[in-house]
Amino acid sequence: MSVPRSETLRRVVSIGVFDGLHLGHRAILERARARADAAGCEVVVVSFDPHPDVVLARDAFRLAAPLTPIGEKRRRLAELGIARLDLIAFTRELAALEPEVFVERHLVVPHAPRAIVVGAGFALGRARSGDVPRLQAIGAAHDFEVEAVPLVAIGGAAVSSTRIRALLAEGRVAELPALLGRTYALEGRVVGGDAIGRTIGWPTANLRLHEEKLLPRDGIYAARVGIGDEPVTRPAAVSVGVRPTFDGKSRTIEAHLIDFEGELPGREMRLAFVDWLRPELKFESPVALAGAIQADVEECRARLARAPQAGV
């Protein structure tokens, strides 16, 4: 039996992992917002942490870092006008619940939904048996509607987190704004490094991320950065990788801000990837590396001059 709730407390619920908050996710959330606005009620996004595929080990490729860490997810949802994010700890026990039990325990009791809005392929509960038709049957028993929003297709294929991850793995960051509605960006604090770049004439800012986030393929990228609260417009050449010329072991994110003068350690930075230039290479000497960086910087200038500005 459902728990009686006042009509004023009932919400529109959208449930999913929403990793990436790409254009497909936004279509779902915009529909949920529209229903909530029409009913004069609140939207709540119900999501999971950690990612279900991490817990269930469905695919080693999906065990990587998230596309949108929790802090970023909250911020992006707020930008969409959704202030409430309800995170459920995902466990194997949770995955084994019958859909009716899951809905009663995690949706009806805390949120008293008047409607649930999901993607067309959504399913929950034991063996993913809680698909849209079954959720609609559960909704009939609990006095809520279930609406499935069609997948968004771009370039002949559905927009999905898996597709975005595959592009990142290949360094194809220039294709991501079409799927995300924005450039793929990292946020963090500039920390002190070993000053190798400065010693060869190309100082870099070493970025330490605030939250673990999936990195694109190792290599050299044209990017735009913002320092502190300024817009993300400064041109930069960015290296993601292990610095093989110096036998590096740990992966670093280093940005050379083109035509910038000033001190950066300790400052906040947002870094948006615009285009991929080349793979990370091992050079025979620091002098050879410096020559390659000079060519990279000029190529970054040219590509950034041609690339349209996109949201971050």
Side-chain angles (χ1 to χ4, degrees):
M1 294 289 292
S2 61
V3 177
R5 294 294 177 99
S6 165
E7 279 295 310
T8 60
L9 295 177
R10 301 187 72 188
R11 299 172 176 137
V12 173
V13 176
S14 190
I15 180 170
V17 179
F18 297 112
D19 190 29
L21 282 174
H22 52 63
L23 293 182
H25 294 146
R26 288 180 63 173
I28 297 168
L29 298 172
E30 286 167 5
R31 180 58 188 150
R33 273 289 313 276
R35 292 195 66 140
D37 290 346
C41 68
E42 184 182 38
V43 178
V44 58
V45 169
V46 175
S47 192
F48 305 98
D49 186 49
H51 194 297
D53 286 356
V54 173
V55 176
L56 301 176
R58 288 192 179 116
D59 186 339
F61 180 67
R62 297 291 294 272
L63 299 183
L67 298 172
T68 42
I70 297 302
E72 180 183 347
K73 187 177 292 186
R74 289 189 188 279
R75 176 173 62 80
R76 294 198 181 279
L77 287 173
E79 291 169 355
L80 295 174
I82 299 173
R84 183 181 290 271
L85 172 62
D86 178 14
L87 283 175
I88 299 175
F90 193 89
T91 63
R92 289 183 176 272
E93 292 73 22
L94 184 80
L97 292 177
E98 292 294 339
E100 290 79 6
V101 176
F102 180 97
V103 170
E104 171 74 22
R105 186 177 300 171
H106 295 287
L107 302 182
V108 172
V109 170
H111 302 299
R114 64 175 67 230
I116 292 178
V117 181
V118 295
F122 180 78
L124 57 75
R126 183 179 59 81
R128 292 177 54 82
S129 56
D131 57 9
V132 170
R134 189 162 176 181
L135 289 176
Q136 288 171 334
I138 297 170
H142 287 279
D143 189 30
F144 65 78
E145 297 179 355
V146 175
E147 179 177 353
V149 176
L151 295 175
V152 173
I154 294 176
V159 177
S160 69
S161 300
T162 299
R163 183 177 172 187
I164 291 167
R165 286 176 175 275
L167 290 173
L168 282 168
E170 296 177 7
R172 294 161 60 183
V173 295
E175 300 175 45
L176 295 180
L179 307 183
L180 289 168
R182 62 183 188 274
T183 52
Y184 191 74
L186 304 175
E187 301 179 13
R189 184 181 298 273
V190 179
V191 297
D194 49 22
I196 289 176
R198 189 176 298 276
T199 63
I200 60 174
W202 298 100
T204 59
N206 293 268
L207 188 66
R208 177 179 293 166
L209 302 184
H210 292 315
E211 301 178 277
E212 184 184 23
K213 182 170 178 172
L214 186 64
L215 300 181
R217 172 189 177 184
D218 287 358
I220 309 303
Y221 294 85
R224 294 189 178 102
V225 303
I227 303 167
D229 295 329
E230 71 180 23
V232 181
T233 56
R234 292 183 182 273
V238 173
S239 170
V240 177
V242 297
R243 300 184 295 180
T245 301
F246 302 97
D247 296 321
K249 303 299 182 184
S250 59
R251 183 157 281 100
T252 61
I253 307 157
E254 299 180 87
H256 172 74
L257 276 62
I258 299 172
D259 300 327
F260 174 83
E261 294 184 5
E263 294 300 318
L264 289 172
R267 303 186 70 179
E268 297 293 306
M269 179 181 287
R270 298 183 74 188
L271 185 159
F273 293 96
V274 175
D275 205 358
W276 186 81
L277 271 65
R278 62 171 177 85
E280 191 179 37
L281 301 171
K282 183 170 183 174
F283 292 91
E284 62 184 14
S285 69
V287 172
L289 172 60
I293 294 174
Q294 181 171 358
D296 293 336
V297 167
E298 294 309 312
E299 182 64 19
C300 284
R301 286 185 195 273
R303 296 203 192 186
L304 291 169
R306 297 192 300 266
Q309 288 275 1
V312 179

